[in-house]
Amino acid sequence: MPPAATAEPHGLGTSLPAADGLAKALGTLPYAADLWAEGLLWVAVLRSPHPHARIGAVDTAPAATMPGVHAVITHADVPGHATHGRRVADRPVFARDVVRHYGEAVAAVAADHPDTARLAVAAIAVDYEVLEPVTDAETAFEAEPIHPDGNLIRHIPLRYGDPDAVGEVVVEGLYRIGRQDTAPIGAEAGLAVPRQDGGVELYTASTDPHADRDQIAACLGLPPEQVKVVVTAVPGATGDREDLSFLLPLALLALRTGRPVKIAAGREESFLGHAHRHPTMLRYRHHADGEGRLVKVEAQILQDGGAYADASADALAAAVSFAAGPYVVPHAVVDGWVVRTNNPPSGHVRGEGAMQVCAAYEGQMDKLAARLGLDPAELRARNVMATGDLLPTGQTVTCPAPVGELLQAVREHPLPPTPGQDDDPDTEWLLPGGPAGAGDPAAVRRGVGHALGMVHMLGAEGTDEVSTATVKVTGPVATVLCAAVETGQGFTTLARQIVQDVLGIEEVHVAAVDTDQPPAGPGARGRHTWVSGGAVERAAKMVRTQLLQPLAAKFGMSTELLTIADGKITSYDGVLSTTVAEALEGKELWATAQCRPHP
């Protein structure tokens, strides 16, 4: 075994190739859409063609009697909870008496061929009484309630400082952020396999498998231990994969038919089925003194939550909390509302709430700079917050907040040369449209813009966050078990680097994720870097103590006097010097740890 000291540099600060990079490049990494099982059936979902309608009779007989169809299910076939939702469980598995948005699930079919399933869905006859939809969030306040809980989901008033304060210069703006969808490379897909104990296993690109399991189990009327979610490779995710409108029909039909069933949504159905970023209307008024320092921010924020509440209260909390941006604001008057409409549901999309207000307050900062005749970056530099400042929520910024330093670094960074101007044909493809498009260097206009934003890593209202990780070491190989899903944010690389850094072991593997492992929480807002990375670090340090204790005892010193670096273990005085590989020979060490940051 070669000594670790001769190995390539590894650990934090080095660049590791992605563990699944080669498989992705070769096209051999299995995604949910690639999975297969013996006796497989295909699932199709019947979706409402109306944004708002009352449901009369639903005739499934034409579909059920078609050759190749094995099951047709509606709301009457849901054995457990009829509704689901991450924060507010108000979204039906299948619409019962009324549909509240275009594309809402009404029924589902399992058949022996995907075309048969689609034809069967088209054969289901539904008697709709079309109702007037509420599609404008502003009219939702006065409109007839579209849901038993009413149209207003939440109102948050925020008052900070003197609400009557006035600045020498005032700028106003009205901003509208439309509905957005991240359109990940891979649309929703999943495979459900019935178990002999009456439960079900689901293979899908979940980003929060334990929360998905618990909701699915509740709707199936099963205990959570009879539902297992296995996370496949994730083909891109920014929060939109938290939606269960595809998995619930899948699980129900697997149990109904007793056979594996699969769904692979097309792009259109994917748009209809999962949640989108909240459309938002924002009215802003910024007050500043003659030098451009902010005096007060006034804002009214109206979010369109779509037909169901789900996580809209969280998105509104983030929008209100960050309504003034990363700036020192002595006074603030902010009101936020989120309402139900007959539009498709809105939900968690990375940075929910914080992204919409960023567009508005940065637009306001540009307006303020123009009014004062200041460079936009200079105006921002005069107002940036730092560690120790207070947010309008009353929270003190205790974490590092190098906003000014970041802005200065960006201002000083030189622009790259304009592609195509150096007569190098290899750079012409960098021009807009490429060399065969609008790539004439004389037609290219370049500009510089500066913008600052802030987003919550953990819950915007102090959510209790926790993650659990296990680090196992067998000889020269370490394995990390943590239910933190790799969604492209680089967690698996970070976990490997942490273990390499703490233990000096080069070969580190991260195990596949399923709900047999302890929960790690959602893969949202990059929180796994902090919370799950913290759990991995703590577990690795516990293993490190197990590794060093025998050596320290042998030489009559504490473990704190030993260091691990470059694959070597050395004592402070140089008396002890051995390789990590030698110290681990014949040993199997492991530890489990949790990380729970302060809210």
Side-chain angles (χ1 to χ4, degrees), residues 118-405:
R118 285 189 285 267
L119 288 170
V121 157
I124 298 173
V126 183
D127 180 17
Y128 291 109
E129 178 191 345
V130 177
L131 304 173
E132 185 68 25
V134 177
T135 57
D136 181 5
E138 287 188 280
T139 65
F141 292 97
E142 304 298 331
E144 287 293 318
I146 66 169
H147 190 276
D149 294 337
N151 292 346
L152 178 62
I153 296 172
R154 190 179 187 186
H155 170 224
I156 302 178
L158 175 63
R159 304 292 182 265
Y160 178 71
D162 180 7
D164 298 321
V166 178
E168 297 175 49
V169 181
V170 179
V171 295
E172 298 184 358
L174 173 63
Y175 306 88
R176 296 180 185 273
I177 310 299
R179 181 173 290 100
Q180 296 175 342
D181 192 282
T182 57
I185 295 172
E188 283 79 3
L191 173 70
V193 181
R195 304 194 333 182
Q196 290 186 348
D197 65 356
V200 65
E201 290 188 4
L202 294 111
Y203 298 80
T204 188
S206 171
T207 58
D208 190 359
H210 290 84
D212 287 349
R213 177 202 63 185
D214 293 347
Q215 289 186 80
I216 293 167
C219 293
L220 297 179
L222 295 174
E225 56 269 21
Q226 283 189 261
V227 177
K228 181 178 179 179
V229 176
V230 180
V231 179
T232 64
V234 178
T238 55
D240 46 327
R241 294 194 186 278
E242 293 184 357
D243 202 290
L244 296 182
S245 63
F246 296 93
L247 295 185
L248 285 166
L250 200 65
L252 286 164
L253 284 166
L255 294 178
R256 169 61 71 89
T257 62
R259 289 172 60 172
V261 296
K262 179 178 178 177
I263 191 169
R267 181 61 66 189
E268 181 180 355
E269 185 174 19
S270 180
F271 284 146
L272 295 176
H274 67 225
H276 310 270
R277 192 182 295 282
H278 288 75
T280 307
M281 186 178 70
L282 310 104
R283 290 188 175 91
Y284 267 79
R285 183 182 293 125
H286 274 53
H287 298 249
D289 63 19
E291 300 297 318
R293 290 180 176 82
L294 292 173
V295 173
K296 185 173 73 171
V297 170
E298 298 176 83
Q300 293 180 337
I301 302 163
L302 175 58
Q303 293 185 328
D304 182 348
Y308 300 106
D310 197 7
S312 286
D314 293 355
L316 183 67
V320 171
S321 296
F322 303 120
Y327 302 108
V328 177
V329 179
H331 313 285
V333 178
V334 181
D335 278 282
W337 300 268
V338 61
V339 295
R340 287 184 176 88
T341 66
N342 290 116
N343 293 319
S346 304
H348 274 160
V349 179
R350 182 162 291 172
E352 68 276 356
M355 299 294 97
Q356 293 93 319
V357 294
C358 181
Y361 61 65
E362 286 301 88
Q364 287 290 100
M365 295 299 280
D366 282 346
K367 284 186 177 183
L368 193 56
R371 179 72 62 84
L372 292 165
L374 291 173
D375 176 74
E378 175 58 31
L379 175 73
R380 287 168 169 81
R382 295 183 185 184
N383 290 282
V384 291
M385 73 177 191
T387 303
D389 286 330
L390 278 173
L391 298 176
T393 57
Q395 178 181 348
T396 302
V397 179
T398 57
C399 62
V403 188
E405 292 88 335

Side-chain angles (χ1 to χ4, degrees), residues 506-546:
E506 185 173 5
E507 187 175 352
V508 183
H509 303 284
V510 179
V513 174
D514 61 49
T515 50
D516 286 345
Q517 302 168 13
R525 302 178 298 276
R527 59 176 289 281
H528 281 315
T529 297
W530 181 359
V531 187
S532 297
V536 171
E537 182 184 36
R538 292 183 183 191
K541 286 182 175 179
M542 292 165 68
V543 172
R544 182 182 186 275
T545 299
Q546 296 173 29

